[in-house]
Amino acid sequence: MNTVLRAAEAAAEHGNELPFSPVVFGLAGFGVLIALLLVTYAFRSVGTRH
């Protein structure tokens, strides 16, 4: 238990640093959602063809 607390203290001292800018995360998420939209649009009429 003591080692867990020491590791938590060390992590708290270091802080949470993101590997990229928050804007990059937003753009990546937006890109993923657009890709999912395009995949959904590509298969929009599959059910009516069968």
Side-chain angles (χ1 to χ4, degrees):
M1 187 68 165
N2 194 12
T3 44
V4 173
L5 291 175
R6 287 186 188 194
E9 287 175 1
E13 289 175 3
H14 180 59
N16 293 332
E17 296 179 8
L18 296 175
F20 304 111
S21 170
V23 174
V24 174
F25 285 103
L27 291 175
F30 184 72
V32 168
L33 290 175
I34 293 298
L36 290 173
L37 175 70
L38 292 174
V39 168
T40 303
Y41 186 76
F43 291 101
R44 69 189 182 279
S45 63
V46 169
T48 59
R49 284 188 275 180
H50 293 290

